[in-house]
Amino acid sequence: MAEKTKTLQKCKNKKVCWTVEEEELLVELWPNYECLYKTNSPEFKRVDKRQSAREDIRRKLETELESSFTDADIKAKIRNLRTQYGKEMGKVRASVASGAGTSSVYEPSWRFYNSLHFLRDSITPVKTKPTSGVPEVRLRGRSDWVPGTSARAPGTVKQDVQTGSQSLV
């Protein structure tokens, strides 16, 4: 049996270290499971569906790359990838909103940015008060919602897209 070569990433103080191949396979499989990202899908609200989808991904990672991740590992990695995608998307939107010319619009160099464009519709941009003169865009995902309620977390800024006005919730 030929031994598989794994490309390890720099892992500092992490409990679980993903290889480049494992991340690439996860990013390749993720769009097949709308319940893991499409927030307006009825299946997104079903914990059992999301857990089953992560279990499928775990099995495929184990079968194809001999990886051994837990459901919590995959859930955390998906959250981290989604967060990073949202940050990159926010940088692009902020650079466009700042009136920068086409040559100075931020272009993400993160390797998964284009692969994760399926997340675009499930991430809502929210403008926040800038600490400097440059507008800042923060992306609202599930992390801004108070668990077990339909309320936003205190201090969340709500942006009216039509008027551009902001209000603190």
Side-chain angles (χ1 to χ4, degrees):
M1 181 171 128
E3 196 170 311
K4 294 183 180 180
T5 305
K6 293 185 176 184
T7 309
L8 288 175
Q9 301 186 87
K10 296 177 185 174
C11 294
K12 295 179 181 177
N13 302 323
K14 293 184 180 179
K15 293 178 185 176
V16 177
C17 190
W18 289 68
T19 65
V20 171
E21 291 83 3
E22 290 164 341
E23 282 185 331
E24 287 172 349
L25 183 57
L26 174 62
V27 168
E28 180 184 317
L29 295 171
W30 189 4
N32 300 325
Y33 301 95
E34 287 187 351
C35 62
L36 294 177
Y37 67 90
K38 201 167 191 173
T39 55
N40 61 353
S41 165
E43 290 186 348
F44 180 81
K45 294 166 182 60
R46 294 192 48 198
V47 175
D48 61 321
K49 289 283 189 181
R50 292 195 314 267
Q51 192 168 9
S52 175
R54 288 191 304 269
E55 177 61 22
D56 283 351
I57 290 171
R58 188 197 64 74
R59 272 191 254 113
K60 288 177 183 175
L61 283 165
E62 186 176 320
T63 303
E64 293 184 32
L65 299 175
E66 299 175 2
S67 303
S68 57
F69 295 111
T70 65
D71 180 63
D73 296 335
I74 293 170
K75 186 177 182 178
K77 181 51 103 174
I78 285 173
R79 183 182 59 244
N80 293 341
L81 289 168
R82 184 182 187 284
T83 299
Q84 183 63 35
Y85 176 78
K87 287 179 180 180
E88 294 295 317
M89 193 171 84
K91 290 176 187 178
V92 170
R93 289 183 183 202
S95 71
V96 170
S98 70
T102 54
S103 63
S104 57
V105 170
Y106 178 76
E107 289 188 36
S109 59
W110 183 48
R111 71 173 175 258
F112 295 124
Y113 182 74
N114 291 326
S115 301
L116 294 176
H117 276 327
F118 66 91
L119 295 173
R120 268 190 313 238
D121 297 333
S122 64
I123 296 178
T124 308
V126 177
K127 287 189 178 181
T128 59
K129 290 183 178 181
T131 54
S132 65
V134 179
E136 181 183 320
V137 175
R138 190 170 62 98
L139 299 168
R140 182 180 63 223
R142 292 182 43 188
S143 61
D144 281 16
W145 297 96
V146 177
T149 71
S150 60
R152 287 192 184 145
T156 303
V157 176
K158 182 178 177 183
Q159 173 79 28
D160 184 328
V161 179
Q162 299 284 332
T163 65
S165 63
Q166 297 179 351
S167 59
L168 189 61
V169 178

